Amino acid sequence: MKMPAIGLGTFRLQGQTVIDSVLAGLELGYRHIDTAQIYGNETEIGLALRQSGLAREALFVTTKIWTANLAASALLDSLQASRDALGLERLDLTLIHWPSPGDEISVAESMEALALAQQRGLTRMIGVSNFPISHLRQALDVVGAGAIANQQIEIHPFLQNRKVRAFCQQMAIPVTAYMPLAYGKVMQDPVMQALADKHACSPARVALAWLLEQGYTVIPSSTRRENLEANLMAADLHLDDDDRVAIAALDRNERLASPDFAPAWD
Ligand SMILES: NC(=O)c1ccc[n+]([C@@H]2O[C@H](COP(=O)([O-])OP(=O)(O)OC[C@H]3O[C@@H](n4cnc5c(N)ncnc54)[C@H](OP(=O)(O)O)[C@@H]3O)[C@@H](O)[C@H]2O)c1
């Protein structure tokens, strides 16, 4: 199964909230769920997947290896634990969540371990997240072009991340845009609101349509059924060149996810 272009984000969602969000999403037609070891919700997501009654082959599930598990000695065991928590025989996609803080563990060590996990059947595909170009080059050196099934990075109208996107395109690495709604900021922006008024829809839908038309996967999160439903319909909205020019002008390098251990960004 290919990665569905619209997935369901689950960062910050815990306990019954994440179960309800994932169950509602699956009922509405989401088939792609994005989690991570650090989100602390893999067990609850596993419960929701089973409760949905959907066949395993109908689902696409991604997790991400946390920075504490990037050493070769830890990565496979941690992925086995994720797989067990999710109740899956194997993940569809497993990403290195962030480069190792201060490059303490080399990209080569983690990518080799991830490729071994793939060979052993723990995950169907492998990829990376929050990798600047320098780290992407190192990952490509280890596993080769074509083996990196995805790079997940922050992209929304206020952080358009053009350099790393261009590099991914050049290397044919598919990109997933995380925080596609800038964690709600898209809804407060007057330009996005004006575009939404023009198309008689929500600013969220404009932002998602803008990303989807460029070929990116999007993984918005929501705790509300009506928002989950609206986000799933975003691909139906067609933007024009004036809309694209207006959104391009909103880029202000506003990065929302930049912890103190983040790599030097491009
Ligand atoms: N790889 C990484 O390092 C990384 C980092 C951050 C995030 N992620 C992934 O990306 C996913 C998305 O990012 P995010 O959850 O931080 O932020 P987001 O999806 O950009 O924004 C979510 C916020 O937008 C609101 N929202 C959603 N749909 C809406 C709609 N149609 N209308 C109005 N408001 C709407 C939600 O509120 P309601 O709940 O009220 O709808 C929530 O507050 C995460 O959940 C996670 O899976 C990955």
Side-chain angles (χ1 to χ4, degrees), residues 27-208:
E27 267 172 40
L28 289 164
Y30 286 82
R31 292 295 179 262
H32 166 188
I33 310 294
D34 182 82
T35 182
Q37 293 176 340
I38 196 67
Y39 296 173
N41 59 17
E42 290 175 319
T43 302
E44 289 76 11
I45 289 174
L47 282 173
L49 296 177
R50 286 194 292 287
Q51 231 175 296
S52 76
L54 286 164
R56 172 66 186 98
E57 315 81 75
L59 297 165
F60 188 102
V61 183
T62 301
T63 198
K64 313 183 198 82
I65 304 288
W66 187 238
T67 56
N69 301 324
L70 290 178
S73 57
L75 192 145
L76 272 86
D77 284 351
S78 84
L79 185 52
Q80 246 151 23
S82 290
R83 189 190 66 163
D84 294 348
L86 286 158
L88 301 174
E89 204 171 308
R90 66 176 173 169
L91 271 295
D92 292 286
L93 175 64
T94 303
L95 308 176
I96 302 290
H97 202 153
W98 289 87
S100 177
D103 292 322
E104 193 191 332
I105 313 287
S106 70
V107 170
E109 177 172 341
S110 302
M111 287 309 292
E112 276 165 13
L114 194 54
L116 184 61
Q118 184 182 27
Q119 280 164 27
R120 295 208 178 147
L122 292 174
T123 183
R124 205 152 59 80
M125 294 184 245
I126 61 173
V128 299
S129 175
N130 297 301
F131 268 38
I133 294 170
S134 57
H135 289 70
L136 278 173
R137 285 192 199 281
Q138 294 172 49
L140 286 165
D141 282 347
V142 178
V143 293
I148 301 179
N150 209 264
Q151 144 99 316
Q152 189 180 119
I153 45 173
E154 182 178 341
I155 315 178
H156 45 70
F158 318 124
L159 175 75
Q160 300 192 14
N161 235 327
R162 293 167 206 247
K163 277 192 192 160
V164 71
R165 273 166 49 186
F167 184 77
C168 288
Q169 188 175 8
Q170 193 190 326
M171 293 294 151
I173 300 172
V175 169
T176 295
Y178 78 63
M179 280 190 187
L181 307 177
Y183 192 47
K185 285 194 171 194
V186 155
M187 268 61 72
Q188 293 145 20
D189 184 83
V191 173
M192 293 301 289
Q193 186 60 57
L195 294 174
D197 292 345
K198 172 179 162 184
H199 291 285
C201 68
S202 69
R205 197 155 167 190
V206 174
L208 297 174

Side-chain angles (χ1 to χ4, degrees), residues 226-261:
E226 62 272 24
N227 288 348
L228 289 169
E229 191 166 16
N231 294 346
L232 201 51
M233 315 232 290
D236 296 344
L237 174 64
H238 297 287
L239 303 175
D240 61 32
D241 283 344
D242 291 344
D243 304 335
R244 292 181 193 109
V245 169
I247 299 173
L250 295 177
D251 193 5
R252 53 188 187 227
N253 203 29
E254 186 176 353
R255 199 177 287 279
L256 301 176
S258 197
D260 54 11
F261 59 80

